[in-house]
Amino acid sequence: PEQLGTTDWDYCVNPEQLGTTGWDYCVDPMYASGIFKFGTVSGADFELGYHWTSFNCSIQAKINNEGYVALAHETDNMNSIPPHLDAEQSLNYFKVYWDGDGAYPSPANGCGKCRLNINADACICPTKVKDEIVFTAQPASAEDIISSLYIGAIPPDIAGPSGTFISQPCDGFTVHFPQTSNGVYTRETIFELNHPYHGTKLFLKNTKSTVYLEGWEHATTILEAEDALPGGPSVPNLVLANETNRNRFSGAGYMHFEGAGQGYLEWIVSVPENIDATISFRYEDSWETTNVVDILVNDNVISPEGTKLGSTGNWDYWMDSESFLVPLNSGDNTIQLKYSDPWTGPRVDYLKIEWPTIPSSYSFRNAPHFMSLSQDYNDEGEGETTARDAYYETDAVLDHYHYHPNTAPFICIRLIQRLGISNPSPGHIEACADAFRTGTYSSGGQIFGSGDYGSLEAVTAAITLEPEATSAVLDADPGYGRIREPFLQPIQVLRSLEAELVPLEHHFELWELFDRLDQEPHRFKTVFSHFLPEYIPDVGPTIVPGYVSPESMVVNMPSIIAQLNGLMSLVRYGISDCFVDDGMSLGFGTYPGNGNCLDDGSMQRASAFFSYIPEATTTAGLVQELNTLLCAGRLSQASQDKIVDAYDSYSPAYDEAGAKLRFAYQLVMSTPEFHTSTTVKEDTTKSRPGPSISSSDAGINDYKALIFLFLSGGVDSFSMLPPHTCEGDLYEKYVDIRGGLSNETDPGIALPKQNLLEIPTNNPEHVCSSVGLHQNLQFIDELYKREDAIFVTNIGLLQFPATKEDYRDTNVRLFAHNAMQLETMREDLEGEKYGTGVLGRMKDKLSEAGFACNAYSIAGSQISLLGSPGVASSPIALSSNGMQKFIPQYEASWWTDGDLTPDLTPYILRLNNATAVDSSFMAETWSAKVSNAIYQHKKLYDDLEGDTVTANFKDASGRKSQLCKQLEMTARLMATHESRNAERDFFHVGIGGWDLHSKVIEGLESRFDDVNHCLKAFVEEAEHLGLWNNTVLLQFSEFGRTLNPNSGPEGDGTGKGCDHAWGGNQFIIGGGLKGGQVLGQYPLDFTENGPLVLSRGRIIPTTPWDAIWSGVSPWMGVSAEDMDHVLPMKKNFDSSALFTKDMFFNL
């Protein structure tokens, strides 16, 4: 600026002012620090962009514990680097793909030769970018090019005038040589090809750009045994991957010395200069013997007495041998592993060479980069971020997803499931994926599709016309087909039976389908749609083989009763409100304003009715006709015969033809063939028994209730229970990691102390003498003060005591909603008790011990309640809205004839009788569910009829929330425990809405208000029943949230949320608790340099869910010898990490 006589920041000026031309228009800045300040240039567009400085500068890599990298600029004057490029402050982490075995320097492993940053949460490493030629000769195929080149090139016809490149067509691609290269492959060579997977035209540069971390020029060398030269009188055997069940070796296979006496493996190792190296071998020997081998380097025996390779202890367990420091000479060296015993010898995986002093460099592929890190600081556009670059990067990300090889099979599996088959074969998926990829599908001489990648016409044709979808032979496969979506059933019967609108009606309206069917278009329970694609039913033969049935997730007692009520109402009264239970309509229609509800074919209150007129003249012909219309011809002969017999035996008082036809409709709609896309084989040797709800006489044991409250979505429980008065300024660290306090002047998400309900931990081992409870949870605060509540800090789903080094070994997709929800309810990450939940296993063992046990879900079908098949009664799903009658008979004082249709219950049970072992899994699942639903419904409806509560579950507006409805139903069921002869009740209740990626402060306030009110009403009702001391409620969520907030949706720093994490805080309430204590432990450091904290404040739990269950299970009556069955992961934890019954309860 002094050269121009200016004093402001605009020191990069129009070239014309300096009399210069071209791009070299920036003078060396003379501002205080002597280096250019990023983001402070203003002016015309051509004056903005990259600028020069006279100081030396290099790029460093900042690597965190998870291997993510942030860029940092190293200059002679670090004070001038903006925070987003300062090695100590930059947090612009991105994922990279580390070369070799994926290892990287990290604070957890000491950073190697790199520097640990001041906060001790990242390694700072100097870098070198090396652009290397990839192909020096013609590639073998287009696939080789795609798998090796990642950098795009400008098309040759744009890069220069005609003649700039010389083109050479090859098989599947074209090579464009710069004219100056004389046909030699260089880094400037361009390959033109259509992508072999999705057909997109690509131009790729013959260059590989790699980022090396300086100081690590020699990585540990692994030389596979299968690449060695075998020799000797008896040569070691090569075992490839497809020839063995072992799978923990590296490379393509291993070498086996069995029977190879005097055999050896020889590797040639070339080094540029004399050097000492450490060598060892990875081997496996499951025999309880020690083998002795000789190691020779350049024909010199390293150890005269030989090297002992001890037993590795088990089959497919591999170990490293003793290591030796050996001299290697400049040039080629030979390393031999020789075995002399003629009997069983070791299996050798590889030779490992570790170089002294400076290991080989860590490296990763230079990642593509669109957005500049010199960000804008104001609306004038200073800096180098542009909307154009954001659009380009977004397009690139979408293209990556769209063209990813996993996209086609992923979409195909989901669509095949929706269009007919729950468990499609690999062949069907492949055919669909090929159609997606190529854009065409051929069947019967007809080609479908546009030929474009992702053509849905081709995909639909592949799904519906592939032999697996059309072959009737596959109907005999028990695993074939699916349960039909509830919504499709009324739609099909309206179409197949030719529904007709009454005069003045203009379109079909089906009302409140969500309440009737548990499914409704454009209305979903969660962001994961109506049901999960990986859901395994809780009853039926699909459990053991692990077959999925997504639709089964909404097939439970309340939905089955509602579905059948709705379908039967359609037949008897048309689309109307005529099926009524206690003033509530059970049909699919709404009040039309006139007409009566008569089961006589008059359809007086209907807006539409079936107008179909059968062509058949015999009963068997009619049933076969309905079989074609409603069951696609799958109705078994046994079921047809049952319907024929029922039809012929039925004699209505009047309207005989119409009444019998409606009767036939209802019978066909009750069959498993109607509700599934499968065939059925009945087992005539047995009948399906009605399940018992309790199994012992009342009064033998006391009554206890355990309630599993699941808050799905991931609760930000560090806003529920943050630190308050703690060691090491932990509250201040909490405020810092949460981005500041949640107030107008500092829009972070940390809760101010004055807004917290301070409660003492009453635990001398806790780092806090007091913690803060969210101010909207006043009732839980009251329970804590009267010693009816316990809190546990930093608890979560754990398979073993995890650390930063091994947490990825946890057998679950961490931070994923569906996976962690499922596994929190199962509590069996090692799969020892497959297909069961923690409450179900507890119920099994208590039932075997003689307790009368029942399990109820008021939140749909839940695996938490599922036990082993046949051990105890199946869990019962109930609606939070109460129970409706099953196919109620219409009664009116003026209509003496009553309903013409007889009671359908016995017919439905006969049509859903026990099936043969080779019958359809899906049909058996449906039939088992519908039979259980009918038996369970009859008992519970009678028990609950007329039952009321005294507590007020309504809020100030007179509304009952979903959680309040569920807890009210729970209280009503508990009140009936004596009439049900129940001694142990298990309940699953839960609500969603906790996935607060934005506006977490506001969202938690309303949700905690609801939790507080509903729990207060429930406890009041439990106390009124005299059951509060016999009740325990445990709160769970799949994971906690990041302590570090996100940027929020508003763009101005407001409305922040937090994202998926791991460890969190939990509460337990109950009248018999030894409450008023906080168990577990907070980490002492919330930053990444803490031993338990991953990036963005994702905390590894220190207390497992097993700890809670270890204290609660014995209280419910589980014996010590049964605890390992209930908690199969309990053995992975030291007893000091688990809680006991004595710690939890007043005995």
Side-chain angles (χ1 to χ4, degrees):
E2 294 178 2
Q3 294 180 14
L4 302 175
T6 61
T7 57
D8 58 16
W9 289 89
D10 294 329
Y11 48 78
C12 282
V13 297
N14 191 317
E16 296 178 0
Q17 293 179 269
L18 300 176
T20 60
T21 59
W23 292 99
D24 189 16
Y25 54 80
C26 286
V27 297
D28 285 342
M30 302 296 293
Y31 186 69
S33 65
I35 191 169
F36 180 73
K37 286 274 189 180
F38 291 90
T40 57
V41 180
S42 63
D45 288 345
F46 68 86
E47 296 172 331
L48 306 177
Y50 294 100
H51 304 95
W52 298 100
T53 173
S54 60
F55 287 102
N56 293 325
C57 180
S58 63
I59 297 178
Q60 295 181 331
K62 181 179 182 180
I63 305 128
N64 68 10
N65 273 306
E66 297 175 75
Y68 283 62
V69 172
L71 296 184
H73 285 192
E74 169 72 30
T75 72
D76 289 346
N77 189 341
M78 289 298 293
N79 294 327
S80 297
I81 296 298
H84 59 279
L85 289 173
D86 183 354
E88 294 297 339
Q89 301 181 67
S90 175
L91 295 175
N92 289 317
Y93 286 109
F94 53 90
K95 183 177 181 178
V96 302
Y97 294 90
W98 293 93
D99 294 333
D101 61 359
Y104 53 86
S106 69
N109 60 30
C111 287
K113 297 296 181 180
C114 297
R115 174 175 68 84
L116 188 66
N117 72 334
I118 294 174
N119 291 329
D121 58 5
C123 303
I124 312 298
C125 307
T127 64
K128 179 184 293 182
V129 177
K130 188 175 182 180
D131 293 339
E132 304 166 280
I133 184 172
V134 178
F135 293 104
T136 58
Q138 179 177 315
S141 65
E143 285 78 5
D144 284 349
I145 298 172
I146 291 298
S147 63
S148 303
L149 301 181
Y150 299 96
I151 300 176
I154 298 174
D157 59 344
I158 298 176
S162 177
T164 302
F165 286 85
I166 300 173
S167 301
Q168 176 182 313
C170 302
D171 185 15
F173 57 91
T174 299
V175 185
H176 300 283
F177 297 99
Q179 188 179 42
T180 56
S181 71
N182 296 318
V184 175
Y185 284 84
T186 69
R187 291 188 332 203
E188 304 304 318
T189 302
I190 297 174
F191 293 94
E192 176 184 352
L193 70 157
N194 293 326
H195 196 287
Y197 181 76
H198 49 71
T200 303
K201 174 75 73 175
L202 299 175
F203 294 91
L204 297 172
K205 194 174 182 180
N206 188 29
T207 300
K208 177 177 70 173
S209 183
T210 305
V211 178
Y212 292 94
L213 304 188
E214 292 184 333
W216 294 83
E217 295 176 355
H218 296 288
T220 298
T221 300
I222 300 295
L223 298 178
E224 296 291 341
E226 63 267 26
D227 295 333
L229 176 67
S234 299
V235 177
N237 304 302
L238 170 63
V239 182
L240 296 174
N242 61 355
E243 298 171 342
T244 177
N245 289 328
R246 289 173 169 82
N247 55 31
R248 292 175 176 166
F249 53 85
S250 67
Y254 56 84
M255 301 298 290
H256 191 186
F257 276 89
E258 183 176 12
Q262 302 302 317
Y264 66 84
L265 296 175
E266 182 176 288
W267 291 266
I268 305 297
V269 180
S270 298
V271 294
E273 57 187 5
N274 295 343
I275 191 171
D276 291 336
T278 301
I279 64 172
S280 61
F281 300 86
R282 188 171 187 256
Y283 73 99
E284 185 254 12
D285 188 359
S286 58
W287 293 91
E288 296 180 2
T289 58
T290 296
N291 292 298
V292 179
V293 298
D294 290 320
I295 300 174
L296 295 85
V297 177
N298 295 327
D299 297 326
N300 296 315
V301 177
I302 297 303
S303 177
E305 65 275 13
T307 300
K308 295 180 180 180
L309 301 182
S311 169
T312 57
N314 208 337
W315 184 83
D316 203 23
Y317 279 24
W318 299 77
M319 295 174 58
D320 286 342
S321 71
E322 178 183 2
S323 59
F324 297 91
L325 185 66
V326 300
L328 298 179
N329 303 322
S330 174
D332 291 344
N333 297 262
T334 61
I335 299 179
Q336 279 190 2
L337 176 68
K338 181 180 290 186
Y339 181 67
S340 57
D341 193 318
W343 302 108
T344 300
R347 296 165 180 82
V348 178
D349 189 6
Y350 57 64
L351 162 67
K352 179 167 69 173
I353 306 176
E354 297 174 282
W355 307 101
T357 311
I358 300 178
S360 171
S361 64
Y362 293 116
S363 62
F364 55 87
R365 179 167 64 87
N366 204 357
H369 179 61
F370 288 83
M371 297 295 293
S372 172
L373 293 180
S374 297
Q375 68 231 34
D376 292 344
Y377 282 91
N378 57 45
D379 295 336
E380 295 180 7
E382 294 181 353
E384 295 166 0
T385 57
T386 66
R388 178 204 64 185
D389 291 342
Y391 295 147
Y392 286 165
E393 183 159 344
T394 301
D395 284 343
V397 169
L398 294 177
D399 282 347
H400 177 75
Y401 292 146
H402 183 56
Y403 292 115
H404 195 282
N406 288 346
T407 297
F410 175 84
I411 290 176
C412 284
I413 292 172
R414 298 296 183 263
L415 290 179
I416 294 172
Q417 284 185 320
R418 297 279 56 74
L419 297 176
I421 305 171
S422 291
N423 298 275
S425 71
H428 198 177
I429 297 168
E430 182 180 16
C432 174
D434 286 344
F436 188 99
R437 177 177 60 83
T438 63
T440 61
Y441 180 79
S442 177
S443 177
Q446 178 73 34
I447 297 178
F448 300 88
S450 63
D452 297 325
Y453 177 85
S455 169
L456 288 182
E457 178 185 335
V459 169
T460 304
I463 292 172
T464 56
L465 299 178
E466 185 68 10
E468 183 172 340
T470 58
S471 174
V473 174
L474 289 175
D475 284 341
D477 182 352
Y480 186 72
R482 66 163 181 157
I483 291 178
R484 299 171 64 203
E485 294 182 56
F487 172 69
L488 296 181
Q489 297 166 10
I491 298 302
Q492 184 205 351
V493 297
L494 288 170
R495 288 174 171 171
S496 298
L497 301 181
E498 300 178 4
E500 181 179 310
L501 291 168
V502 300
L504 303 181
E505 292 289 340
H506 303 289
H507 56 272
F508 295 94
E509 289 186 273
L510 301 179
W511 286 74
E512 299 181 1
L513 292 181
F514 195 80
D515 294 332
R516 306 289 189 270
L517 303 175
D518 217 9
Q519 186 186 27
E520 184 176 325
H522 316 299
R523 182 179 177 186
F524 308 99
K525 282 187 175 180
T526 73
V527 294
F528 301 111
S529 190
H530 304 290
F531 27 70
L532 298 177
E534 66 271 18
Y535 180 76
I536 298 174
D538 52 3
V539 299
T542 61
I543 297 174
V544 174
Y547 278 29
V548 303
S549 176
E551 297 81 2
S552 292
M553 195 169 181
V554 294
V555 178
N556 48 54
M557 185 178 73
S559 67
I560 288 171
I561 299 301
Q563 283 178 46
L564 292 176
N565 279 343
L567 290 171
M568 304 317 164
S569 175
L570 273 181
V571 174
R572 299 184 192 185
Y573 310 108
I575 299 179
S576 71
D577 64 341
C578 279
F579 255 26
V580 177
D581 177 21
D582 195 23
M584 178 177 65
S585 172
L586 309 181
F588 293 128
T590 186
Y591 178 58
N594 56 73
N596 296 309
C597 291
L598 302 178
D599 181 16
D600 62 356
S602 62
M603 306 292 168
Q604 292 184 26
R605 290 173 71 92
S607 61
F609 59 90
F610 301 142
S611 65
Y612 179 72
I613 300 176
E615 297 179 359
T617 58
T618 65
T619 304
L622 170 64
V623 174
Q624 185 57 50
E625 195 171 327
L626 296 180
N627 176 23
T628 301
L629 287 171
L630 300 178
C631 301
R634 291 185 295 267
L635 196 60
S636 70
Q637 189 59 52
S639 293
Q640 292 185 53
D641 292 343
K642 291 178 183 179
I643 295 173
V644 168
D645 290 344
Y647 183 94
D648 289 340
S649 302
Y650 171 48
S651 299
Y654 58 93
D655 186 31
E656 181 172 358
K660 296 186 76 165
L661 179 59
R662 295 192 298 276
F663 183 47
Y665 288 165
Q666 293 174 81
L667 292 178
V668 174
M669 292 179 196
S670 303
T671 64
E673 292 94 336
F674 173 76
H675 291 276
T676 69
S677 62
T678 64
T679 59
V680 176
K681 295 180 182 179
E682 183 180 4
D683 187 343
T684 57
T685 65
K686 60 183 180 182
S687 60
R688 193 184 304 281
S692 61
I693 295 185
S694 295
S695 58
S696 70
D697 297 329
I700 298 177
N701 300 295
D702 60 343
Y703 174 77
K704 290 182 180 179
L706 193 159
I707 303 166
F708 185 102
L709 169 59
F710 197 83
L711 306 179
S712 63
V715 176
D716 180 23
S717 52
F718 272 91
S719 285
M720 178 182 78
L721 195 76
H724 191 281
T725 304
C726 312
E727 299 174 12
D729 298 323
L730 195 59
Y731 176 78
E732 288 71 21
K733 294 176 181 177
Y734 155 81
V735 172
D736 185 59
I737 191 72
R738 305 234 85 178
L741 296 172
S742 56
N743 52 48
E744 294 181 358
T745 59
D746 191 2
I749 60 171
L751 299 179
K753 277 189 176 182
Q754 63 268 26
N755 293 347
L756 296 172
L757 302 171
E758 184 179 4
I759 59 175
T761 59
N762 298 320
N763 180 357
E765 297 182 0
H766 204 281
V767 298
C768 297
S769 59
S770 67
V771 293
L773 182 64
H774 194 283
Q775 62 181 353
N776 290 32
L777 294 173
Q778 301 96 329
F779 181 69
I780 299 182
D781 177 52
E782 178 185 326
L783 290 177
Y784 187 87
K785 291 175 180 176
R786 71 188 208 193
E787 298 185 354
D788 283 355
I790 293 173
F791 290 98
V792 184
T793 53
N794 197 25
I795 189 170
L797 178 65
L798 282 173
Q799 182 180 356
F800 50 82
T803 65
K804 284 185 176 181
E805 289 72 31
D806 61 11
Y807 77 92
R808 288 188 178 91
D809 295 335
T810 304
N811 189 28
V812 69
R813 295 194 306 277
L814 291 171
F815 322 123
H817 285 295
N818 55 345
M820 295 195 73
Q821 285 176 6
L822 175 68
E823 298 303 339
T824 296
M825 297 177 195
R826 289 184 65 246
E827 262 294 279
D828 181 22
L829 287 173
E830 295 167 357
E832 293 186 22
K833 314 296 178 185
Y834 185 78
T836 64
V838 61
L839 298 180
R841 295 192 298 271
M842 196 184 305
K843 178 168 67 75
D844 283 352
K845 286 303 177 183
L846 291 174
S847 296
E848 290 177 344
F851 288 90
C853 300
N854 296 308
Y856 303 94
S857 173
I858 326 295
S861 299
Q862 299 293 345
I863 196 172
S864 61
L865 299 170
L866 188 61
S868 299
V871 176
S873 60
S874 298
I876 300 171
L878 293 168
S879 170
S880 61
N881 293 319
M883 298 183 68
Q884 57 180 255
K885 283 184 179 179
F886 179 47
I887 313 182
Q889 297 294 106
Y890 186 77
E891 299 177 0
S893 58
W894 54 269
W895 187 35
T896 58
D897 291 324
D899 281 356
L900 286 179
T901 304
D903 181 10
L904 291 176
T905 302
Y907 298 99
I908 296 174
L909 292 174
R910 283 198 291 271
L911 288 168
N912 288 275
N913 195 22
T915 61
V917 293
D918 59 343
S919 184
S920 163
F921 291 171
M922 302 301 165
E924 171 60 21
T925 297
W926 163 262
S927 292
K929 281 178 170 283
V930 73
S931 299
N932 288 346
I934 290 173
Y935 287 119
Q936 294 166 349
H937 179 274
K938 177 175 175 53
K939 170 64 176 171
L940 288 174
Y941 189 88
D942 293 341
D943 286 336
L944 292 173
E945 188 173 18
D947 182 65
T948 59
V949 296
T950 60
N952 181 18
F953 284 86
K954 296 179 181 180
D955 61 20
S957 66
R959 169 185 167 273
K960 285 182 191 175
S961 70
Q962 190 62 31
L963 178 60
C964 282
K965 289 179 180 179
Q966 292 183 31
L967 289 173
E968 181 181 19
M969 175 57 73
T970 301
R972 290 178 62 193
L973 284 164
M974 290 169 59
T976 67
H977 72 92
E978 291 182 349
S979 65
R980 293 184 289 109
N981 294 334
E983 296 169 340
R984 295 292 184 271
D985 275 340
F986 297 85
F987 299 95
H988 184 118
V989 299
I991 53 170
W994 299 89
D995 192 21
L996 296 173
H997 290 282
S998 62
K999 300 183 179 179
V1000 64
I1001 297 299
E1002 303 91 325
L1004 287 177
E1005 288 177 355
S1006 60
R1007 287 161 177 79
F1008 282 150
D1009 263 342
D1010 182 45
V1011 169
N1012 189 74
H1013 168 69
C1014 297
L1015 289 180
K1016 182 177 182 180
F1018 172 76
V1019 173
E1020 288 177 1
E1021 187 64 20
E1023 289 175 331
H1024 171 75
L1025 296 171
L1027 297 176
W1028 178 232
N1029 289 342
N1030 304 75
T1031 302
V1032 167
L1033 182 148
L1034 302 94
Q1035 170 262 316
F1036 291 88
S1037 193
E1038 62 263 42
F1039 46 61
R1041 314 293 293 192
T1042 56
L1043 293 179
N1044 184 250
N1046 55 39
S1047 59
E1050 308 299 337
D1052 58 0
T1054 62
K1056 292 177 180 176
C1058 44
D1059 304 315
H1060 303 181
W1062 196 351
N1065 306 315
Q1066 176 195 31
F1067 66 78
I1068 308 163
I1069 61 174
L1073 287 177
K1074 189 181 293 182
Q1077 56 178 327
V1078 178
L1079 303 175
Q1081 192 60 273
Y1082 286 135
L1084 280 170
D1085 191 344
F1086 290 138
T1087 65
E1088 284 186 46
N1089 60 325
L1092 297 172
V1093 184
L1094 306 174
S1095 61
R1096 295 199 55 217
R1098 290 177 293 151
I1099 302 177
I1100 299 173
T1102 46
T1103 300
W1105 294 133
D1106 293 77
I1108 297 294
W1109 296 119
S1110 293
V1112 172
S1113 299
W1115 178 79
M1116 287 293 285
V1118 177
S1119 64
E1121 54 267 27
D1122 288 335
M1123 286 294 288
D1124 285 342
H1125 178 91
V1126 174
L1127 302 174
M1129 297 188 296
K1130 173 177 172 286
K1131 62 182 180 295
N1132 299 340
F1133 300 94
D1134 187 80
S1135 60
S1136 61
L1138 305 174
F1139 303 140
T1140 65
K1141 176 182 175 182
D1142 293 348
M1143 295 172 66
F1144 269 14
F1145 295 95
N1146 295 308
L1147 304 179

